[in-house]
């Protein structure tokens, strides 16, 4: 049955279709912006990951110092990248640099999501450096390098790599006639743009700053291990970083509404976890073998290996087969261990191995694209195009490294000449938390309580010993069994840490244990033995005395040169 359609009906239908198209375009735009905001929020969480990782990897006396640096990185970048960095990277300009959108002036509202996502990447690049310069860098110097990295050094590189006009992205056209093709530098999520740059900056900073006091001692054949104070903190930070990397790489698609975007994001995330997993295993086993390691199953080494694998995956996680990502992770672990070894041989102190993780992983990751790109890499197609791709990948990482090295050496060299790069030696020895920030991470007065604790301990001979711990009177404490930090009085028992003893010596407060004469003159100060112990004269503080009753060795705990507690 025929239906008569009037002109008005046709016009109304046309308007409806146009409105539907507009609504669909708006929906796509909104989805893409929401995608970038959510991914950017997850990447922003990586600042917390870096903070915990670095806080755990440094000594307790510098915890607040490293935390505030990680905390402020995002805020320094928030101003520097907003005012200067984003315009240089994505403003209207040429193939080298941009020069519009200063302080987001005239920036379209639909581009603010892109600004946020690129900003968190800039903050990440700056945070890499703080780990390599931990425990000895002046706070003013930190502000300077963080600002310049996020306002000039990093944005110019991203202009080359990711802006539509960037010379590395545009590349060159090859061939003749109708058989032409374009080859350029490929770096999907920043193996070169973020991690090579951050790794080079970390290397330059650590080089000009010099090693921490005691790290390389002339009396030792190798470096002295200055251990961090909390492996759990470092592990927590590592888990947060591994989580953030999934958004770091997956979000680099920059869109979720186009054809194939969902598959690209999914492939990127899967390849990232595969590369990180393989690198963690290989790093762990290399360390265990004793080559570039100490034959232990090292948690921190496996963690750094996993991070290196994810760093290496950044450049091509959207174009690898999953088995290719495993290959990337395998060689990323070798690169990490090799660069870590090189840094130690050069006597450059990098407490977090930031150079090995980010430069070592980023360098290999950028090169790996030329070999393992799906169906086009050298492994798949041994042809001119794949060779040219390798040449462009090398050109990209060399250009990024050279730009970063020249500017960072100038920056850190100037700070060093001005005398504001490194803290004074006495502050470095005692710690930076109190003199620089007035906020120790673990204040002495915040520990302890007013209750008596009864602690059961198993002695060496297998018997139970009950210890009574009371902070109200140090004479109720059993020396040799308890933490001296709970003893009352101002350093009445000489069992402080080496660092605290050194500080007291400087101020004329040398720690001494109570004398025998003092105890004899004041019987009320004699220690009270806990249940199951008696106070006996000491023949030797450290040699077990025979128990006359059954001939078994008796556990003894020294009180001073004259008395010991003997477990019955």
């Amino acid at each position: 049955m025929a239906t008569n359609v009037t002109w008005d009906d046709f016009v109304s239908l046309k308007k409806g279709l146009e409105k539907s198209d507009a609504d669909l375009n708006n929906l796509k735009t909104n989805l893409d912006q929401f995608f970038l905001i959510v991914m950017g929020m997850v990447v922003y969480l990586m600042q917390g990951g870096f903070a915990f990782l670095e806080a755990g990897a440094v000594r307790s006396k510098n915890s607040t110092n490293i935390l505030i640096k990680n905390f402020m990185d995002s805020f320094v970048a928030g101003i520097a990248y907003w005012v200067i960095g984003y315009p240089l990277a994505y403003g209207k300009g040429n193939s080298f640099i941009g020069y519009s959108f200063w302080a987001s002036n005239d920036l379209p509202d639909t581009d603010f999501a892109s600004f946020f996502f690129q900003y968190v990447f800039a903050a990440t690049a700056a945070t890499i450096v703080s780990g390599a310069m931990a425990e000895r860098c002046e706070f003013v110097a930190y502000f300077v390098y963080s600002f310049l990295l996020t306002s000039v050094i990093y944005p110019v590189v991203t202009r080359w790599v990711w802006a539509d006009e960037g010379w590395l992205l545009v590349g060159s056209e090859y061939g003749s006639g109708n058989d032409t093709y374009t080859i350029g530098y490929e770096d999907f999520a920043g193996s070169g743009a973020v991690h090579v740059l951050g790794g080079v900056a970390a290397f330059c900073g650590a080089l000009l700053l010099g090693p921490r006091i005691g790290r390389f001692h002339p009396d030792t054949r190798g470096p002295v291990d200055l251990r961090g104070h909390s492996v759990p903190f470092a592990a927590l930070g590592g888990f947060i970083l591994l989580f953030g990397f999934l958004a770091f790489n997956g979000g680099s698609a920059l869109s979720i509404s186009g054809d194939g975007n969902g598959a690209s994001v999914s492939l990127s995330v899967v390849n990232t976890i595969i590369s990180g997993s393989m690198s963690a295993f290989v790093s762990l086993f290399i360390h265990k073998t004793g080559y570039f390691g100490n034959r232990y199953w090292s948690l921190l080494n496996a963690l750094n290996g996993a991070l290196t694998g994810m760093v290496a995956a950044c450049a091509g996680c959207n174009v690898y087969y999953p088995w290719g990502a495993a290959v990337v992770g395998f060689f990323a672990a070798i690169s990490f261990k090799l660069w870590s070894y090189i840094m130690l041989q050069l006597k450059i102190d990098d407490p977090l191995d930031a150079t090995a993780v980010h430069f070592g992983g980023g360098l290999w990751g950028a090169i790996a694209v030329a070999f393992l790109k799906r169906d086009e890499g050298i492994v798949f197609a041994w042809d001119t195009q794949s060779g040219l791709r390798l040449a462009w990948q090398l050109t990209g990482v060399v250009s990024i490294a050279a730009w970063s090295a020249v500017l960072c050496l100038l920056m850190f060299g100037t700070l060093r000449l001005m005398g504001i790069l490194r803290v004074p030696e006495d502050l470095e020895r005692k710690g930076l938390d109190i003199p620089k920030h007035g906020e120790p991470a673990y204040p002495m007065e915040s520990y302890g309580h007013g209750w008596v604790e009864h602690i059961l301990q198993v002695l060496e001979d297998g018997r139970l010993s009950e210890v009574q711990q009371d902070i109200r009177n140090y004479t109720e404490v059993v020396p040799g069994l308890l933490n001296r930090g709970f003893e009352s009085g101002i350093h009445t028992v000489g069992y402080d840490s080496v660092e605290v003893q050194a500080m007291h010596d400087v101020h004329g407060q040398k720690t001494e244990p109570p004398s025998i004469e003092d105890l004899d003159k004041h019987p009320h100060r004699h220690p009270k033995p806990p249940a199951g112990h008696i106070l006996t004269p000491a023949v030797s503080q450290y040699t077990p005395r025979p128990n006359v009753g059954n001939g078994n060795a008796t556990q003894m705990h020294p009180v001073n040169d004259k008395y010991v507690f003997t477990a019955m």
Side-chain angles (χ1 to χ4, degrees), residues 378-439:
I378 293 174
V379 171
F380 303 96
W382 185 270
D383 57 11
T384 303
Q385 290 189 39
S386 61
L388 289 170
R389 181 169 288 108
L390 175 59
W392 270 98
Q393 294 303 109
L394 291 173
T395 299
V397 293
V398 169
S399 300
I400 292 168
W403 166 264
S404 307
V406 170
L407 293 187
C408 287
L409 288 173
L410 287 173
M411 174 178 65
F412 289 123
T414 301
L415 292 172
R416 180 172 175 173
L417 290 174
M418 295 173 64
I420 57 173
L421 181 60
R422 183 163 182 153
V423 298
E425 180 179 338
D426 60 329
L427 296 189
E428 183 180 345
R429 289 186 182 276
K430 295 179 182 179
L432 304 179
D433 287 357
I434 293 177
K436 289 293 183 180
H437 311 289
E439 297 170 340

Side-chain angles (χ1 to χ4, degrees), residues 153-204:
I153 301 173
Y154 171 79
V156 171
V157 167
T158 57
R159 177 73 178 189
W160 304 346
V161 175
W162 289 326
D164 292 337
E165 306 91 340
W167 67 273
L168 283 174
L169 179 66
V170 171
S172 295
E173 189 175 275
Y174 300 91
S176 59
N178 295 327
D179 187 18
T180 61
Y181 51 89
T182 300
I183 301 291
Y185 176 72
E186 297 183 39
D187 193 355
F188 181 70
S191 286
V194 177
H195 298 287
V196 168
L197 181 147
V200 169
F203 175 87
C204 294

Side-chain angles (χ1 to χ4, degrees), residues 194-258:
V194 177
H195 298 287
V196 168
L197 181 147
V200 169
F203 175 87
C204 294
L207 174 66
L208 292 181
L209 191 60
R212 291 168 291 173
I213 295 173
R215 176 60 165 150
F216 299 103
H217 197 278
D219 294 341
T220 61
R221 291 184 296 174
V224 178
D225 191 9
L226 304 180
R227 295 186 179 185
H229 82 285
S230 176
V231 172
F233 274 7
L236 173 61
F239 274 119
I240 295 173
L241 288 175
L242 296 175
F243 173 71
F245 256 116
L246 303 180
F248 193 96
N249 290 1
S252 293
L254 305 180
S255 174
I256 197 63
S257 65

